[in-house]
C-alpha cells in the first residue's frame, strides 16, 4: 500500500506536525503541536480518517493540539513512559518557562511506549527507536514502507536538538543519533520537528555536529 506524508508547520515555533496517509485515506498524526483547528480543517479537506496520534516527545510545542485532535476523532495518543506525566505538567513540558501567560497541558496519553519494538496501527507499521538526549522519553518512528523516520527534535537538517532542557543530555543524544538513527538506510528521509526534511546519508556527511 502506497504511503504519503504531509508536513504542517504549526504554531509560534512552526513545529512540524506530520500526517502519514495510506490509499484508503486512513492516517496517523505525529506531534500536533498547535493550531488544532487548522490541522483538523486539513484532515477534513482531504477526507482523512485518523487512527492515532504519535508523539515523539512531550515538549509544549509538540502537544498543544493533542486534545483537539483526540477529542474530535476519539483516537488514542501514544507517548513514551518516561514522559507520561509531562502532558499535564507545564513545568515538565516547558510551557511554564517559555510561554508567556499561557501554560499548555493535555490529558494523559492513552498508550505508553515501554520499549523499542514494532508498532502496528491499522495498515501502518513502525519500528520504535528510543532516541533520548533532547528529552528523556524522545522516540523516533521509522516507517520502512514510507522510507522515512519521524525523528522529533533529535536530528535536524545540519543540526541537532538542544540538550540544555530538563532531562537533556548531549552525550545521550550523540549516541541516539549515531547508534539508532544512523543505522537506518542512507536514503531514509528524516522528518524533523522543525525545519525542512533531510536524509540520513546527507547528515552523515554534512552535519557539523556529527562529523
Amino acid at each position: 500500500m502506497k504511503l504519503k506524508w504531509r508536513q504542517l508547520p504549526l504554531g509560534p515555533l512552526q513545529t512540524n506536525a506530520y500526517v502519514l496517509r495510506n490509499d484508503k485515506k486512513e492516517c496517523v498524526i505525529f506531534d500536533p503541536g498547535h493550531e488544532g483547528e487548522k490541522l483538523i480543517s486539513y484532515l477534513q479537506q482531504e477526507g482523512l480518517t485518523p487512527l492515532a496520534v504519535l508523539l515523539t516527545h512531550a515538549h509544549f510545542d509538540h502537544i498543544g493540539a493533542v486534545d483537539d485532535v483526540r477529542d474530535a476523532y476519539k483516537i488514542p495518543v501514544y507517548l513514551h513512559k518516561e514522559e507520561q506525566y509531562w502532558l499535564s505538567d507545564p513545568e515538565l513540558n516547558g510551557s511554564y518557562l517559555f510561554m508567556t501567560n499561557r501554560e499548555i497541558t493535555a490529558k494523559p496519553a492513552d498508550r505508553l511506549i515501554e520499549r523499542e519494538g514494532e508498532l502496528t496501527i491499522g495498515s501502518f507499521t513502525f519500528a520504535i527507536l528510543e532516541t533520548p538526549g533532547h528529552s528523556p522519553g524522545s522516540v523516533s518512528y521509522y516507517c520502512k514502507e514510507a522510507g522515512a523516520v519521524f525523528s522529533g527534535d533529535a536530528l535536524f537538517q545540519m543540526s541537532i536538538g538542544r540538550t540544555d532542557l530538563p532531562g537533556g543530555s548531549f552525550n545521550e543524544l550523540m549516541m541516539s543519533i549515531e547508534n539508532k538513527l544512523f543505522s537506518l538506510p542512507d536514503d531514509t528521509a528524516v522528518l524533523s520537528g522543525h525545519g525542512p526534511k533531510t536524509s540520513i546519508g546527507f547528515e552523515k556527511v554534512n552535519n557539523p555536529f556529527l562529523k
Side-chain angles (χ1 to χ4, degrees):
M1 184 173 290
K2 187 175 182 181
L3 302 181
K4 298 179 181 179
W5 57 268
R6 172 71 182 271
Q7 179 191 73
L8 297 166
L10 301 172
L13 299 185
Q14 290 291 277
T15 304
N16 291 327
Y18 292 95
V19 178
L20 180 67
R21 61 192 287 179
N22 62 22
D23 293 340
K24 297 191 292 184
K25 291 198 171 183
E26 297 169 329
C27 70
V28 292
I29 301 163
F30 297 87
D31 292 351
H34 205 71
E35 297 183 282
E37 290 184 2
K38 181 177 179 179
L39 176 55
I40 291 171
S41 177
Y42 167 77
L43 297 171
Q44 293 174 339
Q45 176 184 325
E46 296 294 315
L48 298 176
T49 300
L51 302 181
V53 171
L54 303 182
L55 297 177
T56 61
H57 63 296
H59 281 149
F60 70 95
D61 57 318
H62 292 251
I63 67 170
V66 163
D67 282 348
D68 292 339
V69 175
R70 170 166 45 189
D71 292 347
Y73 293 100
K74 312 303 180 189
I75 55 177
V77 172
Y78 289 73
L79 175 68
H80 195 278
K81 66 178 181 179
E82 288 289 336
E83 297 178 14
Q84 62 180 302
Y85 302 114
W86 289 35
L87 292 176
S88 60
D89 190 328
E91 292 193 19
L92 289 173
N93 68 45
S95 59
Y96 176 79
L97 297 174
F98 292 99
M99 296 294 286
T100 303
N101 298 322
R102 187 190 174 195
E103 296 180 356
I104 293 176
T105 61
K107 292 176 289 189
D110 304 285
R111 307 279 191 273
L112 292 178
I113 296 168
E114 298 189 0
R115 62 185 65 85
E116 293 188 331
E118 187 173 278
L119 173 64
T120 298
I121 300 171
S123 67
F124 301 94
T125 300
F126 304 97
I128 298 174
L129 306 176
E130 293 179 321
T131 49
H134 174 66
S135 70
S138 287
V139 296
S140 298
Y141 300 89
Y142 172 56
C143 182
K144 182 178 180 181
E145 290 76 15
V149 60
F150 300 85
S151 64
D153 288 358
L155 179 64
F156 303 120
Q157 185 186 73
M158 301 285 285
S159 189
I160 59 172
R162 61 187 296 176
T163 57
D164 59 341
L165 300 174
S169 167
F170 178 80
N171 290 335
E172 268 196 320
L173 182 59
M174 290 297 99
M175 288 190 291
S176 292
I177 294 171
E178 294 175 3
N179 297 335
K180 304 292 181 64
L181 295 178
F182 278 5
S183 70
L184 300 175
D186 283 352
D187 61 353
T188 302
V190 178
L191 305 182
S192 306
H194 302 272
K197 76 168 183 176
T198 183
S199 72
I200 293 296
F202 180 88
E203 297 307 316
K204 282 182 178 178
V205 174
N206 296 287
N207 194 305
F209 294 90
L210 297 160
K211 286 188 175 181

